[in-house]
Amino acid sequence: MEVLVILVPLALGLGLVGLLGFLWSLKSGQYDDLEGAAWRAIADDEPSHETPPD
Amino acid sequence: MQATRDFSHYVKDLGSGLSHIDLAVEGVSCAGCMSKIERGLSAIPDVTLARVNLTDRRVALEWKQGALDPGRFIDRLAELGYKAYPFETVRAEAVEADNSRFLLRCLGVAAFATMNVMMLSIPVWSGSAGDMMPEQRDFFHWLSALIALPAAAYAGQPFFRSAFRALRTRNVNMDVPISIGVTLALAMSVVETLRHAEHTYFDAAIMLLTFLLVGRYLDQSMRLKTRAFAGNLAALKAETATRLVGAGEISVVPVAAIQPGDIVLLRPGERCAVDGTVIEGRSEIDQSLITGETLYVTAEHGTAVYAGSLNISGALRVRVSAASEGTLLAEITRLLDNALQARSRYVQLADRASRLYAPVVHATALLTIFGWVLIGASWHDAIVTGIAVLIITCPCALGLAIPTVQTVASGAMFRAGVLLNSGDSIERLAEVDHVIFDKTGTLTLPELDVVNSASIPREVFDLAGRLALASHHPVAAAVARAANAKSPLAGIVEQPGQGVCGVVDGEEVRLGRPSFCEADELANEILSLDPEVSVVAFMRGGERHVFAVRQRLRPDAQAVVSALQARGIAVEIVSGDREPAVRAAAHTLGISEWRAGVTPADKIARIEDLKRRGVKVMMVGDGLNDAPSLAAAHVSMSPISAAHLSQATADLVFLGKPLAPVIAAIDFSRQALHLMRQNLWLAVGYNLLAVPIAISGVVTPLIAAAAMSGSSLLVMLNALRARRVAHGRS
């Protein structure tokens, strides 16, 4: 049962990482446009943000 | 005079040499549009960011400061085939967005805690029957407390705050029993852990918060979506005013940038976007949006004009006044305040349920405690059982019963072209048994239309339409629209107050007043048949035609009225317009009850009178003069073309030309109310089953968790049925 000393903090730590990841994604605006994000995933390529040579 | 477009009001300076603007874009619906717009805009030199938000239908743009004029983005989007306009987030929307984000954060925290507490609880549940040592169980309980307590303190905020607010005003809402239940469950669990007891309820308490937050978040995000959509519509109206900057110099600026004291130019055919006083010029103005009166009013030096008035014949200069100065507006605002106060007394179904619910539950818990003590249990055991009653009855299903239905129903209404302004309007709308329509702009379309197009040769109609493009006069605009004219003719001259004339294929053509086109006789013939129409005459050589132009009823108005009557709802017209016009409309639509020439105060009096007789009135209107009665009615609805004030006051706003959304809204809300009641009964039924088990003292945390998630799922699934209306879908 001593293994609990490792497993429980490990499980909690992983959960906490998940939570922090979620909070970070929320803060960086990843939930602002759920519909657009769904389409962007399957788009051919991201429109470039650099000025193309005209 | 050269007009310039000035969008500087909307441009935000980000510092570090970058400027930012948000544009609302019409018609963005797919991934194709998204990449087309982003590529198209990124191709402009000096643009550093162009990102489409497909959910809100907006584009965020950043560029090197001073390098570009924002007007260029709008032109570029127009070339790509999208109508766009700068957008400013209104405060209400920003608040909703913040709330939504806060709820999502709470939900994330609560869901994380639930998962981890469950991970600890399941071994306890399964282990306590077998070979788990008491020390291990205590260890797991302590860990659960460590996760659940801070998580509940954070994620419970929306409920604790709302409960506190309600208690401070000596009210009870659903959040009061929720807060009490969660707090007691956590407190008891801590005490039980200290006593090395077998059962704790950390899992139940935190799971309850998670489920409730799901309901809250759904509700909030639906509201946010509606707000964002309404905000886009407002922005795309692109309301501008022509401001006089100096002598002879004018600048077209967004209405938001106009200050009191500015002088704006109002050209013929333009709708006034501000309130003010005429300081120069003479013209006729159409105030039907404000008063419902379709006859034109003469405006000259000193006349007050209001936002929404349409200038007909001459150019006017208007000094912008502070909104409160207008006597009409002041009167309307005063009536509005009174009416809104009356409405806030309506008690929502959820609050009515919780007023019954809270005392019953708390009394049951107390009786359980005393009951157990009386039959000889220890105080500790009695209190533990009492709190178990509170936990098992905690209104998990009850808290979800109404918001889930509202979310699903408002989504369905949204697709049917109805936007909800206030959350509880669904309940009120479902009770409606009397509908009062305003006539102008509500039963009729806001724009004029040619009514005798069948009697005019197609070729003449097309030519007249192209000719009409040269004029700003609203009647000419109606002819151009009806003829679907796109290409203006060259060399057409407008003679102010008379009409337009020119030469086509060697023949002189004219469009304008009957006298201007020598067609008085024909015009009088039409006017004697129907005195309500406006006439515009067309002349080519010796040929004469007269177009009869008037406001046309919405295409499906008659069908909607009979559909309402078929549902047992009384229909009535109350209009500020003159009697013959109202009578004609009522006759066509088969409405036997109508009132004409009604002032805003009389409209309210009529509604109050009906209310006293216990009738639930829905008011459908668009004018500024309707705003107070919209507020006074049990529930109210406005078309999207309505005056700002009316739209803000109405509970629901419908889009597009047809009136059918009125029916759809009533059907959906009736279905929704039915489901809300059903859900409440489901929740009550669950309690009837669970409470005896709790009172008997055999509830384990496992039973509590299973019962809670079971009832929540049941209620959520039932709510999904609000998408469909049982019968009468068009």
Side-chain angles (χ1 to χ4, degrees):
Chain A
M1 279 300 160
E2 285 72 33
V3 73
L4 279 183
V5 178
I6 303 165
L7 282 184
V8 168
L10 187 68
L12 289 183
L14 285 175
L16 209 59
V17 169
L19 178 66
L20 290 178
F22 171 75
L23 291 181
W24 166 80
S25 67
L26 181 64
K27 201 172 178 189
S28 63
Q30 296 191 26
Y31 295 86
D32 289 352
D33 180 19
L34 294 175
E35 267 172 64
W39 287 107
R40 273 177 217 279
I42 56 164
D44 290 339
D45 52 351
E46 278 278 294
S48 85
H49 295 318
E50 284 141 38
T51 316
D54 261 352
Chain B
M1 285 193 283
Q2 185 60 44
T4 52
R5 282 182 307 175
D6 181 5
F7 293 121
S8 53
H9 178 73
Y10 294 106
V11 177
K12 273 189 297 237
D13 184 6
L14 294 179
S16 67
L18 288 177
S19 297
H20 178 104
I21 197 167
D22 287 309
L23 303 177
V25 188
E26 199 172 56
V28 191
S29 51
C30 63
C33 309
M34 193 163 75
S35 57
K36 191 168 147 195
I37 290 176
E38 289 184 353
R39 271 165 227 236
L41 290 173
S42 305
I44 301 175
D46 292 330
V47 171
T48 53
L49 172 79
R51 194 167 173 90
V52 175
N53 184 329
L54 201 58
T55 313
D56 298 340
R57 315 265 155 103
R58 290 176 191 159
V59 185
L61 276 163
E62 278 166 27
W63 68 97
K64 286 183 194 136
Q65 202 165 10
L68 291 164
D69 171 37
R72 183 145 169 220
F73 303 129
I74 292 166
D75 295 340
R76 182 81 190 108
L77 282 167
E79 282 166 33
L80 294 170
Y82 301 97
K83 188 179 167 194
Y85 202 75
F87 175 85
E88 192 179 33
T89 312
V90 290
R91 238 193 94 248
E93 195 192 322
V95 170
E96 299 278 358
D98 281 350
N99 264 340
S100 189
R101 210 164 284 169
F102 176 61
L103 281 174
L104 195 54
R105 224 162 36 222
C106 289
L107 179 58
V109 170
F112 152 80
T114 306
M115 284 186 280
N116 285 280
V117 171
M118 275 298 160
M119 183 187 80
L120 296 165
S121 290
I122 289 172
V124 174
W125 295 343
S126 54
S128 52
D131 54 358
M132 184 175 247
M133 286 178 289
E135 296 78 41
Q136 285 170 358
R137 199 180 56 211
D138 283 351
F139 175 60
F140 275 31
H141 282 165
W142 278 118
L143 273 177
S144 301
L146 183 74
I147 303 167
L149 291 178
Y154 183 79
Q157 283 179 78
F159 306 99
F160 300 151
R161 279 186 202 162
S162 149
F164 183 67
R165 265 201 304 274
L167 285 176
R168 212 171 37 187
T169 54
R170 293 166 187 232
N171 272 317
V172 179
N173 61 12
M174 204 54 103
D175 293 332
V176 175
I178 291 173
S179 304
I180 294 177
V182 169
T183 316
L184 281 180
L186 290 172
M188 181 191 79
S189 300
V190 171
V191 172
E192 290 292 277
T193 309
L194 283 170
R195 294 169 50 98
H196 311 289
E198 199 178 332
H199 293 318
T200 61
Y201 293 91
F202 293 115
D203 42 17
I206 195 76
M207 185 166 72
L208 173 77
L209 283 180
T210 310
F211 275 119
L212 290 171
L213 282 165
V214 169
R216 290 287 153 97
Y217 176 67
L218 284 178
D219 195 37
Q220 182 66 31
S221 56
M222 191 63 227
R223 229 178 337 198
L224 179 64
K225 193 172 174 186
T226 314
R227 267 269 178 248
F229 191 74
N232 282 4
L233 285 172
L236 285 164
K237 274 186 177 171
E239 281 184 304
T240 54
T242 312
R243 182 166 60 186
L244 288 154
V245 187
E249 196 183 342
I250 57 176
S251 160
V252 179
V253 293
V255 171
I258 295 278
Q259 305 285 333
D262 283 352
I263 295 170
V264 297
L265 183 68
L266 197 59
R267 284 174 288 205
E270 278 183 350
R271 215 174 260 287
C272 187
V274 295
D275 294 336
T277 321
V278 177
I279 53 166
E280 198 184 309
R282 192 183 160 81
S283 174
E284 288 175 304
I285 53 173
D286 173 3
Q287 295 205 327
S288 64
L289 203 56
I290 298 132
T291 58
E293 164 74 75
T294 47
L295 270 193
Y296 299 154
V297 182
T298 308
E300 54 198 357
H301 184 84
T303 309
V305 290
Y306 302 99
S309 313
L310 184 65
N311 186 17
I312 305 293
S313 45
L316 294 173
R317 284 179 185 210
V318 177
R319 183 184 297 281
V320 180
S321 62
S324 59
E325 278 177 20
T327 50
L328 178 67
L329 264 182
E331 156 106 356
I332 285 176
T333 312
R334 188 178 57 74
L335 290 171
L336 201 59
D337 286 344
N338 295 341
L340 280 174
Q341 260 169 19
R343 189 197 278 168
S344 63
R345 284 198 287 270
Y346 179 82
V347 184
Q348 295 183 28
L349 188 57
D351 290 339
R352 267 180 294 168
S354 62
R355 268 182 209 181
L356 280 175
Y357 178 89
V360 170
V361 166
H362 294 150
T364 314
L366 274 179
L367 285 177
T368 309
I369 295 173
F370 290 129
W372 276 101
V373 170
L374 277 183
I375 60 169
S378 70
W379 273 100
H380 167 259
D381 287 351
I383 289 173
V384 168
T385 314
I387 290 176
V389 170
L390 271 186
I391 295 171
I392 203 112
T393 54
C394 217
C396 192
L398 220 50
L400 286 171
I402 288 165
T404 44
V405 175
Q406 268 178 354
T407 308
V408 177
S410 58
M413 285 190 186
F414 189 75
R415 281 187 292 276
V418 183
L419 303 179
L420 269 88
N421 261 351
S422 56
D424 62 338
S425 51
I426 291 180
E427 292 166 32
R428 285 183 276 124
L429 184 57
E431 296 172 340
V432 161
D433 51 15
H434 192 110
V435 178
I436 295 183
F437 282 105
D438 171 49
K439 186 185 77 73
T440 318
T442 306
L443 284 174
T444 63
L445 287 169
E447 290 139 359
L448 296 169
D449 198 6
V450 177
V451 286
N452 64 342
S453 50
S455 64
I456 291 164
R458 189 67 226 175
E459 173 257 341
V460 172
F461 204 178
D462 287 342
L463 182 63
R466 294 178 66 192
L467 202 54
L469 285 176
S471 168
H472 288 296
H473 197 283
V475 173
V479 173
R481 201 165 40 237
N484 208 4
K486 292 275 187 294
S487 47
L489 294 164
I492 305 297
V493 186
E494 180 161 19
Q495 301 200 1
Q498 295 298 319
V500 289
C501 60
V503 177
V504 174
D505 299 334
E507 270 184 309
E508 191 191 8
V509 287
R510 286 182 174 195
L511 183 79
R513 279 178 190 269
S515 55
F516 179 61
C517 301
E518 299 155 27
D520 282 319
E521 219 167 290
L522 203 55
N524 288 337
E525 204 175 298
I526 287 178
L527 283 172
S528 65
L529 283 175
D530 185 354
E532 291 305 311
V533 298
S534 305
V535 288
V536 56
F538 172 78
M539 179 185 98
R540 178 171 62 182
E543 213 178 336
R544 303 277 183 279
H545 293 282
V546 174
F547 296 90
V549 174
R550 65 178 298 167
Q551 281 189 319
R552 198 188 270 273
L553 290 171
R554 287 185 189 260
D556 59 348
Q558 201 164 355
V560 166
V561 166
S562 39
L564 283 172
Q565 284 162 341
R567 280 165 178 72
I569 297 171
V571 181
E572 180 179 344
I573 301 181
V574 175
S575 172
D577 204 358
R578 288 151 303 140
E579 193 193 318
V582 180
R583 185 180 16 215
H587 182 73
T588 322
L589 295 172
I591 299 172
S592 53
E593 248 199 302
W594 53 269
R595 275 151 228 268
V598 186
T599 64
D602 287 345
K603 280 191 183 183
I604 294 185
R606 171 69 187 149
I607 290 172
E608 293 295 338
D609 183 39
L610 286 169
K611 267 184 170 171
R612 263 195 299 281
R613 283 189 263 147
V615 179
K616 306 279 191 229
V617 184
M618 166 151 97
M619 174 82 203
V620 189
D622 73 321
L624 204 53
N625 61 332
D626 294 318
S629 40
L630 286 172
H634 191 58
V635 63
S636 54
M637 207 161 171
S638 274
I640 193 67
S641 55
H644 275 301
L645 189 62
S646 313
Q647 235 176 64
T649 321
D651 295 306
L652 304 110
V653 174
F654 67 94
L655 316 170
K657 275 188 173 186
L659 207 54
V662 177
I663 292 282
I666 290 181
D667 284 349
F668 276 123
S669 60
R670 285 187 171 184
Q671 165 86 351
L673 185 66
H674 174 70
L675 285 173
M676 285 181 203
R677 293 220 172 102
Q678 211 170 50
N679 267 351
L680 287 177
W681 282 116
L682 275 178
V684 168
Y686 148 81
N687 277 334
L688 286 182
L689 277 178
V691 168
I693 304 176
I695 292 177
S696 63
V698 294
V699 167
T700 60
L702 178 63
I703 294 181
M708 212 174 266
S709 32
S711 64
S712 301
L713 278 179
L714 198 64
V715 165
M716 280 197 196
L717 288 177
N718 193 40
L720 289 179
R721 300 200 298 143
R723 269 171 208 252
R724 288 197 190 82
V725 174
H727 54 85
R729 277 293 317 264
S730 53

